Amino acid sequence: MLSYSPYTKKPPRYKGACIYRPFVYGSIAVPLPTPRPANTPPDHTHRWTIFVRPVSPSHDITHWLRKVQFKLHETYSQSLRTIEAPPFEVTETGWGEFEVAIKLFFVPEASEKPVSVYHQLKLHPYGGTEEEREKTRREGGEVGSKCYEEVCFNEPVEGFWEVLTSGGGDGRAVEKGRGKGKGAKAIKGADRSAEIPNEGSPYSLRMEGRELDRLKEAVKQVESMIVEERKTLAEREKVLNELRREAALAEKR
């Protein structure tokens, strides 16, 4: 239900409601080609792009996102870059990795303050095996670093609620339960929204499940390695104690 009073100038809000809108932020980087592009500083080694994107090309984030501000390293001219239309991204060249502050500005209907996320620009291969990283370096492959995130519009104002639930279809709307034992529930009329994307997206629930399975398997392997290391340590301590005992007996003789 809307919370509204004719005696206040504040816009009415949907009490107890929240709408989630997912997006992806991150960076991609590739080594500079040979010959190098004209006017490229001699110490620069890579071309990179920092971005904010929808989780799927079919999703529209401009109905809630007005502009994006990227704060680059201070060595770049105009280190504060503001992008007011999609694609929300900045492309540059450079030689080093650094943290980029990304500030999201919402559409006027939202009546919400900007929020910030932070991303570590990656130029060199990471993760995987050493052979895989070396192959990426050798072949000059693309290095990507992406994060899935959701922005929660808690108790949105009436006009923004209409905007969010009438288009985009790239998130979910829920109403917080009231009273003991009541959880979140879907809001009637918000069925155009969806949960985390399904098949066809690297951020689907099934892919998330597979990643969790891999993490669980990795945890088991680490636990097994810890057990083996403890056994080895115990055996070495036993040998060391025996050597100490023999050394003490030799000193008494």
Side-chain angles (χ1 to χ4, degrees), residues 8-23:
T8 179
K9 294 183 179 180
K10 293 183 179 180
R13 289 180 175 271
Y14 275 91
K15 283 294 184 181
C18 59
I19 293 185
Y20 298 85
R21 284 295 178 263
F23 64 97

Side-chain angles (χ1 to χ4, degrees), residues 148 150 172 194-213:
Y148 173 94
E150 293 181 349
R172 62 182 186 272
E195 292 290 342
I196 296 175
N198 292 316
E199 286 303 310
S201 168
Y203 311 101
S204 67
L205 290 172
R206 178 167 294 183
M207 290 301 295
E208 179 180 320
R210 291 174 182 172
E211 183 66 19
L212 289 174
D213 290 340

Side-chain angles (χ1 to χ4, degrees), residues 118-170:
Y118 299 87
H119 180 73
Q120 184 69 25
L121 177 66
K122 294 289 187 181
L123 302 184
H124 307 287
Y126 66 99
T129 64
E130 180 58 35
E131 290 77 10
E132 291 172 339
R133 294 194 294 270
E134 181 58 33
K135 181 180 179 181
T136 301
R137 285 190 289 266
R138 186 172 59 252
E139 297 178 354
E142 179 182 286
V143 174
S145 175
K146 305 174 184 178
C147 297
Y148 173 94
E149 187 58 273
E150 293 181 349
V151 59
C152 171
F153 296 105
N154 189 41
E155 298 186 349
V157 298
E158 177 184 5
F160 193 43
W161 169 268
E162 296 299 329
V163 171
L164 291 172
T165 58
S166 63
D170 56 352

Side-chain angles (χ1 to χ4, degrees), residues 160-247:
F160 193 43
W161 169 268
E162 296 299 329
V163 171
L164 291 172
T165 58
S166 63
D170 56 352
R172 62 182 186 272
V174 299
E175 184 173 13
K176 298 176 182 177
R178 296 182 177 85
K180 187 176 180 180
K182 294 184 179 180
K185 62 180 181 179
I187 296 178
K188 185 178 181 180
D191 54 350
R192 289 179 240 187
S193 298
E195 292 290 342
I196 296 175
N198 292 316
E199 286 303 310
S201 168
Y203 311 101
S204 67
L205 290 172
R206 178 167 294 183
M207 290 301 295
E208 179 180 320
R210 291 174 182 172
E211 183 66 19
L212 289 174
D213 290 340
R214 287 193 291 268
L215 290 173
K216 290 177 181 178
E217 183 62 30
V219 169
K220 290 181 181 179
Q221 293 179 7
V222 171
E223 290 175 344
S224 176
M225 293 171 64
I226 291 174
V227 171
E228 293 299 321
E229 287 296 322
R230 285 175 175 171
K231 289 181 180 179
T232 302
L233 180 60
E235 292 174 356
R236 290 177 178 176
E237 287 181 344
K238 184 177 179 180
V239 172
L240 180 60
N241 290 333
E242 181 64 25
L243 291 174
R244 286 173 176 168
R245 188 183 65 83
E246 293 177 357

Side-chain angles (χ1 to χ4, degrees), residues 54-66:
V55 295
S56 171
S58 62
H59 291 165
D60 178 25
I61 60 177
T62 59
H63 65 285
W64 59 265
L65 183 62
R66 180 168 63 91

